[in-house]
């Protein structure tokens, strides 16, 4: 089953600052919507965004540019999924093709009808590229949990010292 979703939109003046550059928040919203659709299609349930990692802007996007988001589930845990989102921009007046504009990894959590986390299906890894993306995401997932544990320990120690 394909987990890839595409979403395209021409950028309008209401999405930009006075200089004509598209607001980063507008692009993040579009990316989040695309990640949501890919994750929901994969697990066939509602999902929520838990985390965004490695959001990187590579080139400006202007009024009138065509923006295409591509989102694909690349990793699944027990109740969460990592969705890779890439954004391409195309200046429609130019003959140059689409250029990579930004990318990020969205962690989405599957929810049951009561709003509680639920188990997600296993991800079928059919290519070497999919296996490599899954492994890189697994490492990001483990690193995040290590850092989270360290932050909690630091906060506990700080709270103990203040009492």
């Amino acid at each position: 089953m394909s987990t890839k979703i595409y979403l395209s939109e021409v950028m309008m003046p209401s999405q930009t600052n006075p200089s004509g550059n598209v607001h980063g928040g507008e692009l993040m919203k579009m990316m989040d919507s695309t990640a949501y659709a890919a994750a929901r299609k994969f697990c066939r349930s509602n999902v929520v965004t838990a985390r965004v990692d490695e959001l990187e802007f590579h080139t400006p996007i202007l009024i009138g540019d065509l923006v295409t988001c591509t989102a694909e589930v690349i990793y699944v845990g027990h109740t969460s999924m990592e969705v890779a989102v890439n954004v391409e921009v195309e200046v429609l007046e130019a003959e140059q093709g689409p250029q990579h504009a930004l990318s990020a990894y969205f962690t989405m959590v599957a929810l049951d009808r009561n709003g509680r986390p639920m188990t997600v299906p296993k991800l079928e890894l059919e290519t070497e590229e999919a296996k490599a993306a899954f492994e890189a995401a697994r490492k990001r997932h483990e690193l995040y949990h290590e850092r989270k544990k360290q932050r909690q320990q630091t906060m506990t120690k700080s709270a103990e010292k203040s009492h």
Side-chain angles (χ1 to χ4, degrees):
M1 166 178 51
S2 174
T3 63
K4 199 174 271 192
I5 295 287
Y6 300 91
L7 179 67
S8 295
E9 186 176 340
V10 173
M11 296 292 101
M12 304 304 282
S14 64
Q15 297 169 299
T16 65
N17 64 26
S19 298
N21 292 316
V22 175
H23 291 291
E26 292 283 346
L27 297 166
M28 289 173 61
K29 180 180 178 187
M30 188 175 177
M31 293 171 79
D32 189 45
S33 295
T34 312
Y36 171 86
R40 184 169 178 136
K41 179 180 177 185
F42 175 75
C43 69
R44 302 292 179 188
S45 71
N46 192 27
V47 296
V48 292
T49 306
R51 187 174 71 246
V52 179
D53 291 318
E54 300 182 28
L55 181 64
E56 296 181 36
F57 292 84
H58 303 289
T59 188
I61 297 175
L62 307 173
I63 295 172
D65 289 351
L66 176 66
V67 172
T68 301
C69 288
T70 304
E72 184 172 19
V73 175
I74 60 170
Y75 172 82
V76 298
H78 180 66
T79 62
S80 66
M81 299 149 276
E82 184 173 281
V83 181
V85 182
N86 290 295
V87 178
E88 289 187 335
V89 60
E90 186 172 357
V91 179
L92 296 176
E93 295 83 15
E95 292 185 23
Q96 181 179 357
Q99 293 183 344
H100 182 70
L102 64 149
S103 56
Y105 298 102
F106 286 71
T107 299
M108 312 299 284
V109 176
L111 302 176
D112 66 16
R113 290 192 179 272
N114 297 316
R116 294 190 186 109
M118 62 177 269
T119 303
V120 295
K122 183 179 177 189
L123 182 62
E124 300 296 326
L125 304 172
E126 299 174 358
T127 66
E128 289 304 314
E129 183 180 72
K131 290 174 186 175
F134 183 93
E135 185 59 26
R138 185 188 63 74
K139 288 178 181 175
R140 271 190 302 277
H141 184 77
E142 288 176 357
L143 182 60
Y144 167 77
H145 284 287
E146 286 175 25
R147 288 192 317 254
K148 183 178 176 181
K149 185 177 177 180
Q150 289 172 351
R151 281 192 309 267
Q152 288 172 337
Q153 289 172 347
T154 300
M155 290 174 64
T156 301
K157 288 177 185 177
S158 294
E160 289 171 356
K161 285 181 182 179
S162 66
H163 288 318

